[in-house]
Amino acid sequence: MADRSDENFFIALRAALAAHEAVPDEVLLAALHEAVADREAVPPAFAWHDIDAELAQLIYDSQQEAAAGLRSESASIRALSFASAHLSIEVEITGGSLLGQLIPARPGTVEVQVLDGGTATVPVDEAGCFTVDPKPESTFRLRCHTGHTGTQTDVLTGWVTL
C-alpha cells in the first residue's frame, strides 16, 4: 500500500504530464531517484543489523504452556528453549536473574540486548553456563558468541517479553 508521500508524488507527476509541461530530464530523474530511495529505506526499528548471526527459533516457552491451561498453577520460573542449526540455548528466568546454558557446551559470551538499545555482555563458562544478574526488566534478546576464529558460532534469539 502506497503511503501519503508516494501518492502526492504521483499526483504531482500526473498533473505535470497531463499539462504537458516541459519538465527538464534532470528534475524528473532526481524526483524519481528520491521516490525510489524513500521507498527502499528501511526504518531503523526494522533493520536487521545482525545479518551474520544465525537465528535461533523459540521452540519452548513455559509461559505459553501455562496460558494454554496445561498447568494448574503458575510457576515461579519461566523456561525458554531456542534452537538453531548449530546451537541450542536453554534459559530459566527466575525472580531476579536469568540462568542459561548453551548446548553443546562451549565457552564464549552472551550479549543481552534490550529493546531500548542497551546491552550487557556476560561470560559463558566451559560447561556452556551463563548468568545474567539482574535479569532484564524489559523485552530482550540474546546474542551468543562461541568458538575461535574459523569455528565461531554467532546465534541470535528472537525478542522475549517478560
Side-chain angles (χ1 to χ4, degrees), residues 4-126:
R4 197 73 178 139
S5 61
D6 288 344
E7 190 175 314
N8 291 339
F9 169 77
F10 288 112
I11 289 171
L13 182 60
R14 277 191 219 112
L17 292 173
H20 202 59
E21 296 175 6
V23 178
D25 289 345
E26 295 81 22
V27 172
L28 183 57
L29 285 174
L32 288 172
H33 178 65
E34 184 178 331
V36 169
D38 286 346
R39 195 75 174 142
E40 291 176 351
V42 175
F46 298 107
W48 184 18
H49 299 288
D50 304 307
I51 196 152
D52 292 332
E54 186 177 310
L55 298 178
Q57 179 179 0
L58 178 66
I59 58 172
Y60 175 77
D61 183 348
S62 62
Q63 189 175 50
Q64 291 176 350
E65 182 179 282
L70 300 176
R71 299 178 91 170
S72 59
E73 58 187 55
S74 63
S76 60
I77 295 176
R78 181 175 177 189
L80 302 167
S81 296
F82 297 91
S84 72
H86 297 98
L87 191 69
S88 293
I89 306 162
E90 300 291 328
V91 177
E92 289 184 354
I93 303 170
T94 65
S97 61
L98 185 147
L99 308 171
Q101 184 173 19
L102 306 181
I103 301 169
R106 55 181 82 165
T109 59
V110 170
E111 186 178 302
V112 182
Q113 302 173 347
V114 292
L115 199 54
D116 69 5
T119 61
T121 303
V122 297
V124 178
D125 67 19
E126 293 290 327

